Amino acid sequence: MEDFDSFSDVGEAQVTQAIGQEWSDEFLDYSDTDVIVVGGGPSGLMAAKELAERDVDVMVVEKNNYLGGGFWLGGFLMNKVTVRDPAQKVFDELDVPYEDARDTDDLYVANGPHAASSLIKATCDAGAKIQNMTEFTDIVVREDHRVAGIVMNYTPVHALPREITCVDPVAVEADLVIDSTGHDAMAINKLDERGVLDAPGIEAANERGQVMDSSGDDSYGAPGHDSPGHDSMWVGRSEDQVVEHTGLVHDGLLATGMAVATAYGLPRMGPTFGAMLVSGKKAAEVALDELDVDDAPAVKLDDTHTQAPPADDD
């Protein structure tokens, strides 16, 4: 290439220092923050994006190396995702191309990788911080079990045999925690374990002696395959109900996305994602109210709000 001669003279130590310095500064800044979003799927990312655009400090904690959850794929390993009207307005907001479904009015189809990557970019551009490969292990509580943060550890720690590792987790604090951990509803489950939260879906699952996604590594079962806390699939009802029930489930804890369906025992909706995106927006709206952020622009379905550009010095 005409415009390339060689890379700059930088060695291994400088690379390590650059990574460590920037990561440490960011992590310490967000060890006590406004909102922690547990789970980087579509609902969690959407909530984080909306909040960060309104100058709320947000950290997304994701157990996987990648963000986006099931948004990368549709159903049956076919990487097309659908939304029902009016959720296509969110695709417009994210500049995600989509097509009308061929045989169904008010149903829209987009490429999963394009939709997921666009939402991830928008969330990062808004200023949300990401802590991936980090697993939620418990909640931090205060008086009356008010949720005040989370306990977390590196994901690989829990993949190692216990007899060869003992790595204590760390805790981070926040004014609000948003449970967007999908079918598992992990933060909500921790409150249910302590008997301080009435979650009908989790209660029903426990009564049958089952837990979310309990399939072993050597047995059949994908996330959501064995989710006994949900009612049967009914897309026409489930999406509306997920959005309707999105919000505060306990002091300091909000639920969004499929965690809502698990908590309330709602019908499953399968591989359509409108409720995930709109639920994330509603969670952000509720969070703004809980945080008493009165001067922020309203959260809208076709929200095109972005942070104000820097002031012109001239």
Side-chain angles (χ1 to χ4, degrees):
M1 293 183 293
E2 293 182 0
D3 55 348
F4 177 78
D5 181 21
S6 65
F7 289 108
S8 60
D9 184 17
V10 175
E12 288 78 9
Q14 288 76 32
V15 171
T16 300
Q17 290 165 4
I19 293 171
Q21 289 164 353
E22 292 301 318
W23 183 90
S24 297
D25 289 348
E26 182 176 286
F27 184 77
L28 292 176
D29 284 345
Y30 281 76
S31 62
D32 188 359
T33 190
D34 295 331
V35 178
I36 295 172
V37 177
V38 187
S43 63
L45 290 174
M46 181 58 68
K49 167 190 172 295
E50 296 291 343
L51 290 170
E53 284 181 342
R54 290 158 177 81
D55 296 322
V56 175
D57 291 333
V58 186
M59 180 169 69
V60 178
V61 175
E62 168 56 50
K63 70 178 181 179
N64 293 306
N65 185 42
Y66 61 90
L67 301 169
F71 210 28
W72 290 99
L73 289 170
F76 211 63
L77 295 180
M78 297 179 288
N79 65 349
K80 306 297 180 183
V81 295
T82 64
V83 299
R84 296 188 298 148
D85 182 75
Q88 76 279 5
K89 294 179 181 179
V90 182
F91 282 167
D92 292 333
E93 173 189 336
L94 298 173
D95 291 327
V96 175
Y98 59 89
E99 303 287 343
D100 294 356
R102 295 182 189 179
D103 302 314
T104 307
D105 293 336
D106 299 327
L107 180 67
Y108 305 92
V109 187
N111 290 322
H114 198 151
S117 56
S118 293
L119 178 55
I120 293 167
K121 182 180 187 303
T123 304
C124 293
D125 286 348
K129 304 305 177 184
I130 310 298
Q131 185 64 35
N132 53 338
M133 285 300 284
T134 302
E135 190 168 12
F136 167 92
T137 64
D138 204 350
I139 51 175
V140 174
V141 298
R142 296 293 182 260
E143 293 79 7
D144 299 320
H145 280 89
R146 176 180 65 84
V147 175
I150 68 167
V151 182
M152 61 190 195
N153 213 333
Y154 283 119
T155 300
V157 170
H158 293 134
L160 295 172
R162 190 166 182 82
E163 62 268 18
I164 68 171
T165 183
C166 182
V167 180
D168 282 337
V170 296
V172 290
E173 296 184 33
D175 295 327
L176 288 175
V177 172
I178 299 179
D179 187 339
S180 60
T181 59
H183 297 269
D184 290 332
M186 295 177 69
I188 295 169
N189 258 293
K190 289 298 180 182
L191 284 176
D192 178 79
E193 288 175 7
R194 292 163 172 81
V196 297
L197 179 67
D198 179 21
I202 296 173
E203 181 181 356
N206 290 336
E207 286 176 355
R208 292 194 292 273
Q210 297 169 291
V211 294
M212 302 300 115
D213 298 332
S214 59
S215 299
D217 293 338
D218 58 350
S219 60
Y220 171 70
H225 170 67
D226 51 349
S227 297
H230 299 170
D231 203 346
S232 301
M233 190 176 290
W234 188 352
V235 66
R237 176 168 291 182
S238 59
E239 289 207 288
D240 288 335
Q241 290 188 352
V242 164
V243 175
E244 176 186 348
H245 286 82
T246 294
L248 201 68
V249 294
H250 186 76
D251 192 11
L253 179 64
L254 283 75
T256 187
M258 288 309 300
V260 178
T262 295
Y264 292 98
L266 305 179
R268 299 173 64 182
M269 77 280 297
T272 189
F273 289 86
M276 301 299 97
L277 300 172
V278 178
S279 175
K281 282 181 171 283
K282 184 178 178 183
E285 182 180 55
V286 174
L288 291 168
D289 185 59
E290 290 293 316
L291 295 168
D292 293 324
V293 181
D294 298 325
D295 56 349
V299 179
K300 299 179 180 179
L301 191 60
D302 56 348
D303 201 348
T304 56
H305 167 74
T306 57
Q307 290 177 302
D312 191 342
D313 292 335
D314 295 336

